[in-house]
Amino acid sequence: MTETTVAEVMAELTAIEDPKTREVNERHGDDHGVHLGKLRELAKRLKTQQALACQLWETDDTAARLLAILICRPKAFERDELDVMLREARTPKVHDWFVNYVVKKNPHSEELRLAWSADPDPVIASAGWALTTERVTKKPEGLDLAGLLDVIETKMKDAPDRLQWAMNHCLAQIGIEHAEQRARAIDIGERLEVLKDYPTPPNCTSPFAPIWITEMVRRQHDR
């Protein structure tokens, strides 16, 4: 792809930028004003273009990076490329989409899960925990669930926000998916009280682990 193609895409992103959307996004640490529905429409039109995706990522523009994530080939990236890109992902939305849409589909995801979980940077570690949560839910064989609960019990209370959120999600999924660990997961949540007072809109489930676990288990039984 030529630089003019990147320029054309950047021009289109500028054209669909909306100040009100930017204002809302900036409250969450995301410095872009492109409605995600319009971004997905643009990605659908562009289809998969790995070279263009890499060039858009290099712009360091948040909307361009989100678009890059949507049009890339997740399996095409090498392990070290993914590590560098995660560390370059400045905003929460880019970080989350990158982990969920790219890393989880890449053959190096397990190796990165282990490396990132032990990283001293809490934002990088949160990506490791997100990948661990994926395994807890979809491929728990070989995971030490009791050991994960030990770490959560010891470290979640004082963890920085992004890492704390990721660990709490893992705690909830252990409780939801693994009945033999459920009572302990709920007990840890009740004692640590992480996100207990998190403002939750009507008809949404609280992220407070004991409530989250109990509600999701109830729904599973009602199916």
Side-chain angles (χ1 to χ4, degrees):
M1 288 294 153
T2 63
E3 287 302 322
T4 54
T5 306
V6 174
E8 286 167 6
V9 173
M10 295 303 291
E12 185 154 1
L13 288 172
T14 300
I16 58 176
E17 168 95 12
D18 176 61
K20 288 183 180 176
T21 302
R22 177 176 281 274
E23 189 181 328
V24 172
N25 288 338
E26 284 183 341
R27 285 188 218 133
H28 304 287
D30 292 310
D31 56 349
H32 78 96
V34 178
H35 189 278
L36 296 180
K38 290 184 178 179
L39 195 73
R40 290 181 187 279
E41 286 173 14
L42 177 55
K44 197 171 179 181
R45 205 166 74 238
L46 290 169
K47 299 187 171 66
T48 301
Q49 296 191 46
Q50 180 68 6
L52 178 58
C54 292
Q55 291 178 354
L56 288 171
W57 184 273
E58 290 302 318
T59 65
D60 193 28
D61 177 85
T62 295
R65 283 187 165 177
L66 292 172
L67 183 61
I69 288 166
L70 294 176
I71 68 169
C72 76
R73 281 199 304 275
K75 292 178 181 176
F77 295 104
E78 296 298 328
R79 179 211 181 280
D80 290 348
E81 285 181 287
L82 294 175
D83 186 68
V84 169
M85 291 170 78
L86 182 74
R87 294 172 196 280
E88 291 173 341
R90 298 177 292 100
T91 65
K93 183 65 73 178
V94 172
H95 175 103
D96 291 344
W97 276 25
F98 183 70
V99 172
N100 284 298
Y101 297 164
V102 181
V103 182
K104 285 181 181 179
K105 298 174 182 178
N106 184 279
H108 300 290
S109 61
E110 177 61 13
E111 189 184 345
L112 289 168
R113 179 185 78 82
L114 295 170
W116 288 344
S117 295
D119 199 280
D121 182 333
V123 175
I124 303 302
S126 74
W129 279 92
L131 294 172
T132 298
T133 301
E134 175 88 348
R135 275 206 57 191
V136 164
T137 306
K138 295 183 176 177
K139 196 179 176 184
E141 297 79 20
L143 280 182
D144 178 5
L145 297 177
L148 288 172
L149 289 177
D150 290 343
V151 176
I152 291 168
E153 188 171 19
T154 306
K155 298 185 175 180
M156 182 172 74
K157 180 80 171 176
D158 298 319
D161 288 352
R162 295 279 294 283
L163 179 55
Q164 185 184 70
W165 187 274
M167 294 175 88
N168 183 71
H169 189 186
C170 190
L171 172 66
Q173 286 304 126
I174 291 173
I176 292 163
E177 301 290 340
H178 301 278
E180 74 282 3
Q181 302 289 349
R182 188 168 296 147
R184 186 183 174 201
I186 290 172
D187 176 63
I188 289 170
E190 286 175 342
R191 283 186 289 106
L192 298 186
E193 299 188 334
V194 167
L195 300 176
K196 185 176 183 180
D197 300 319
Y198 191 83
T200 305
N203 302 319
C204 291
T205 303
S206 168
F208 179 49
I211 294 174
W212 190 355
I213 294 166
T214 303
E215 173 61 18
M216 297 311 291
V217 171
R218 182 191 67 76
R219 289 185 197 177
Q220 288 174 356
H221 287 163
D222 288 349
R223 282 178 193 157

